[in-house]
Amino acid sequence: MSLGELPSTDGLSYLGKLAELLSQDEALSPAVISALRALKIDPEAEEKELRRGLNTVRHILLAETGKQTADWDFIDHEGRLDPAKRQPFPGMRIYLEDIRSPFNVGAMFRTAESFGAERIYLSPLCADPTHPRAERTAMGCTDILPWERLSEAAGLEDLEGPFFTLETGGTELGSFHFPQRAIMIVGSEELGVSPQSLARADNSLGRVSIPVYGAKGSLNVSVAFGIALQAWASALVLHETF
């Protein structure tokens, strides 16, 4: 069941009868039966309330059957975003270097748009933002956030810095001096930032690192990107305040 578009009135009626029938199945756990009985599928109910109820039962049934959901089930068809509502920070630019996963690229576009990035540059080997999986996680942000793919011949050499990179071994996030205008370099999931880009950043504004305290010692690239970009945006807002 995808919750992107709600079913028609007839479809909702069918789901209500199905939920009622399933709630009588004693083979199901008490939690599932209770959730099914509590679900009121009323076509006149508020959409948000109806979605939440359907989604709750959906996840309980998945857990009960031992099935796994897929990322692309969560599609929200609310139309295109309004680019006129964007309030980017001039000079906040991003360079995504060889990000392998379209899901990560899409998530990073959504994060970049949310925190006011002006533009995203992609390396020649970076996953395509127009890939269906990227578009699913970007939620429309690839359409309103300007981006361009750099040629292998050009690379960072043709971009106007300064540069800094999100990488281990740098200044901790809380102590890093975020610039008003720069390009933040974010490297691939497996290999991180390339030696050439590291050298470019080290000769410019350096590296920013996120301290972690768990056994894993690292974060998903899109998660780390979100943490760093929020810190950068907060620093820019603070600068504008004074």
Side-chain angles (χ1 to χ4, degrees), residues 86-95 115-121 160-164 178-184 205 229 232 236 240:
R86 291 204 70 223
Q87 296 180 335
F89 295 104
M92 178 191 267
R93 294 170 292 158
I94 314 297
Y95 177 61
F115 288 126
E118 181 182 43
R119 176 176 292 272
I120 289 182
Y121 301 102
E160 181 180 352
F163 302 91
F164 69 97
F178 284 97
Q180 285 186 264
R181 294 175 175 267
I183 296 176
M184 180 166 72
L205 300 177
L229 202 62
W232 190 4
L236 292 176
E240 291 180 352

Side-chain angles (χ1 to χ4, degrees), residues 3-102:
L3 298 181
E5 295 178 345
L6 288 175
S8 63
T9 301
D10 289 341
L12 289 173
S13 176
Y14 169 78
L15 287 174
K17 292 177 181 178
L18 180 61
E20 182 180 356
L21 180 63
L22 287 172
S23 69
Q24 301 172 18
D25 188 348
E26 296 181 355
L28 296 175
S29 69
V32 171
I33 293 175
S34 176
L36 289 170
R37 289 176 177 172
L39 178 62
K40 305 297 183 183
I41 303 181
D42 181 2
E44 302 300 322
E46 290 187 10
E47 181 177 324
K48 185 176 182 180
E49 179 182 350
L50 187 56
R51 285 178 183 272
R52 187 175 297 277
L54 290 171
N55 199 44
T56 298
V57 173
R58 174 177 184 266
H59 282 288
I60 291 177
L61 288 174
L62 285 170
E64 184 76 12
T65 58
K67 300 296 183 181
Q68 294 293 324
T69 187
D71 289 337
W72 49 82
D73 287 338
F74 299 95
I75 304 172
D76 193 359
H77 302 285
E78 293 184 354
R80 294 183 177 274
L81 300 175
D82 183 1
K85 294 183 178 180
R86 291 204 70 223
Q87 296 180 335
F89 295 104
M92 178 191 267
R93 294 170 292 158
I94 314 297
Y95 177 61
L96 302 183
E97 184 180 65
D98 300 352
I99 303 297
R100 173 188 56 81
S101 166

Side-chain angles (χ1 to χ4, degrees), residues 111-132:
T111 296
E113 200 286 320
S114 295
F115 288 126
E118 181 182 43
R119 176 176 292 272
I120 289 182
Y121 301 102
L122 307 175
S123 71
L125 299 180
C126 188
D128 191 348
T130 63
H131 189 288

Side-chain angles (χ1 to χ4, degrees), residues 147-168:
W147 63 273
E148 62 181 281
R149 187 179 295 278
L150 304 181
S151 68
E152 189 171 357
L156 290 178
E157 286 73 16
D158 283 4
L159 296 181
E160 181 180 352
F163 302 91
F164 69 97
T165 184
L166 176 60
E167 187 57 275
T168 58

